[in-house]
Each structure stands twice: as structure tokens, then as C-alpha cells.
Amino acid sequence: MTAERTPPMTSANKATLLAANAAISVLDIEGFLQHCTDDIEWNAIGDTVINGKASLRQWMKANYREPPEFTVTELVAEDDMVVAVGTIVTTDTDGGRTTRLYSDVWRFRDGRMATLRAFVVDPGSAA
């Protein structure tokens, strides 16, 4: 029996996503954006769609007053896709902290994050 091996591209994409998450976890917006394509499409399903690095930079500066805290419980990759599942804790403008469940579906292009479909729900609504 031979062990299955993770294709190099898949491993590289996972590593890129983890590095990007590490950057944003210390509010290093530029460090995060270096892992994105210039024409990134960030789609928070049912909420916000952001197109391009400049718009994403502006959104992050306005919305991430404190760094978000990620806990990735599952990380699955195939071809040019990486799916991360876990929890995210954010701080609102009044200092209140909110924990939500999330699933991020990333598509990579040339080793960079090109599209995101983010599904984020409150734990009470995820029955």
C-alpha cells in the first residue's frame, strides 16, 4: 500500500492561506495583501462583495480595528481551491467581541489568493 501524497501546488496554497491568516491576525494588512492577486474578489456571501486589492485594503482598515482571531479546525485543498473551516472572533467599534463560525472557499491563481466566498454565521443559527 502506498501513502497518498499531497500535490505540491495544494500544499503551497495551504501554506499561503495560513501565512495570509497569520499576517491579518497581527493586523498586517499589507502582509495579507501580498498573498492576493491585484484583482481579488472577496465575497462575504449575503453581505459584502469587494473587488480589487485597493478596495480590500480600504475595507480591512475600516473593519479590522483589532485583529481578527482565527481558529482553523479543517483545511482542505484540491487543485486551485482551499477550504478553511473554523471560528473567527472580531471586535466591533464599541469593543464588543463576537465569535462566529466560518467556511472560506478560496480559489488560487498563480500561487495567490484570487477569489473568496466566505460563509459566516452566528453559532446559534448554525443548527
Side-chain angles (χ1 to χ4, degrees):
M1 176 181 224
T2 59
E4 287 188 34
R5 298 181 71 200
T6 303
M9 172 83 65
T10 302
S11 296
N13 290 345
K14 281 182 172 181
T16 296
L17 177 57
L18 292 174
N21 279 355
I24 204 64
S25 292
V26 294
L27 217 52
D28 179 3
I29 293 171
E30 294 307 314
F32 178 88
L33 292 173
Q34 77 179 3
H35 298 289
C36 300
T37 60
D38 289 339
D39 64 343
I40 185 168
E41 180 182 303
W42 176 290
N43 186 351
I45 303 299
D47 189 15
T48 305
V49 177
I50 302 164
N51 289 294
K53 252 188 205 184
S55 295
L56 183 54
R57 178 182 294 110
Q58 184 177 16
W59 183 88
M60 286 180 158
K61 286 181 178 179
N63 288 279
Y64 288 161
R65 298 180 191 285
E66 296 288 327
E69 298 172 20
F70 295 94
T71 302
V72 177
T73 56
E74 297 174 68
L75 192 61
V76 180
E78 185 172 322
D79 299 326
D80 65 348
M81 304 287 294
V82 176
V83 177
V85 176
T87 59
I88 183 171
V89 180
T90 55
T91 304
D92 64 26
T93 55
D94 298 325
R97 294 172 54 81
T98 303
T99 300
R100 293 188 175 94
L101 306 173
Y102 79 92
S103 178
D104 285 349
V105 180
W106 289 96
R107 181 173 302 277
F108 283 71
R109 186 174 67 239
D110 300 325
R112 293 179 185 249
M113 301 180 307
T115 63
L116 166 65
R117 286 178 290 155
F119 300 85
V120 181
V121 296
D122 292 320
S125 65

